[in-house]
Amino acid sequence: MNQKDCPPLLAVKHLGVAFETDQGQVLAVDDVSFELTSGQVLGIAGESGCGKSVTALSLMRLLPKPVSKIKEGEILFKGQNLLDLSTDALGKIRGKKISMIFQEPMTALNPVHTVGRQIVESYSLHSPGMGEKEKIRASSQMLAKVGIPDARQVMKKYPHQLSGGMRQRVMIGMALACEPDILIADEPTTALDVTVQAQIMDLIFQFRDKTGMAVILITHDLGLIAENCDRVVIMYAGTVAESASVTTLFRNPFHPYTKKLLQSIPSRAQTAKEPLPTIPGNVPALSEMPAGCRFAKRCEHAYTPCEKHLPRLISVSSDHFAACHLAHSGGKKSNFNK
Ligand code: SF4
């Protein structure tokens, strides 16, 4: 079956997440929708503060409380809305069916337990029928697979006794030990050097090939997306700016923000002395979101409707969507009568 014809494993529909701030309630994520099928790798990209991580944490209902709240939308995992589940029912999915890895491994590792105890626990959760010796053997094999030498010795250590790179590998090993249906990887390799980065991504994709696991890769690194993803969602200021297959988005980007992001990827022809093109200005603060397009202040194509009306995501070609007023007029500025 073509991936496009598969029923979605995960469908996020019109997700809205609000935060309480000194200036009142603000929407950090607004009307975000996307789908994911088994075995698919979806990249979510954008600058810092564009809502990528808040979206990822919402999927696991891991947002800080009481300052944040999922205000609207649905998160359908195998057709079941995760937002309707009790904490106990969600606990059966979180870490088992859907696992998450973070840029900072100490977010996931318990500092007072040895690495061995923590990874063995992952196996206990996923495979309760497994014997103790079997779990220890599987744990050490998993640590070896994620590139940890002398795994049995490392299992006796506490997280603070390991380097950052080693901790990262342990966390990834723990997430994969559960053989999740979905792995959410939030900037998983940002803190690692390029060689280790490539090894970790390879490992994740070997698992994907073996188990059919789907992956959501959250990153500001479009190079990582181009190399590893099937589909990509570009976020800007809490909304989806553009969404398409990776091939379409890189060959034929529509949204002015996506075009600018692509121009800021270093090219091989770039010399060390040449400055990288950047996007002037900043993502607007949550408390100062304009009524119209959130990219308008930085967009060289902005015209009258952009200041007044927030563009919604519409189809610009087959399976390719953009939230830009130019999409209403085939890429040309036109009178806006909506
Ligand atoms: Fe630029 Fe207007 Fe499109 Fe926003 S809606 S990206 S301001 S052209």
Side-chain angles (χ1 to χ4, degrees), residues 20 24 74 128 138 157 164 186 192 225 279 285:
E20 293 297 340
E74 289 180 315
K157 297 195 171 175
D186 188 358
L192 306 177
I225 300 244
I279 310 175

Side-chain angles (χ1 to χ4, degrees), residues 213-275:
M213 169 179 88
V215 181
I216 299 179
L217 177 63
I218 293 165
T219 181
H220 63 276
D221 183 347
L222 284 171
L224 211 55
I225 300 244
E227 277 166 31
N228 298 299
C229 295
D230 303 306
R231 199 170 170 84
V232 57
V233 169
I234 302 287
M235 288 191 68
Y236 186 77
T239 58
V240 174
E242 185 158 8
S243 129
S245 73
V246 163
T247 317
T248 302
L249 189 113
F250 279 78
R251 282 198 190 146
N252 198 15
F254 187 93
H255 199 285
Y257 176 58
T258 309
K259 290 181 183 172
K260 287 282 179 198
L261 277 184
L262 294 180
Q263 282 163 13
S264 58
I265 301 178
S267 76
R268 290 207 178 137
Q270 195 106 22
T271 65
K273 283 186 186 153
E274 271 179 74

Side-chain angles (χ1 to χ4, degrees), residues 255-256 293 295-296 299 301-302 306 311 324-326:
H255 199 285
C293 175
F295 188 59
C299 180
H301 305 285
C306 306
C324 171
H325 291 311
L326 295 174

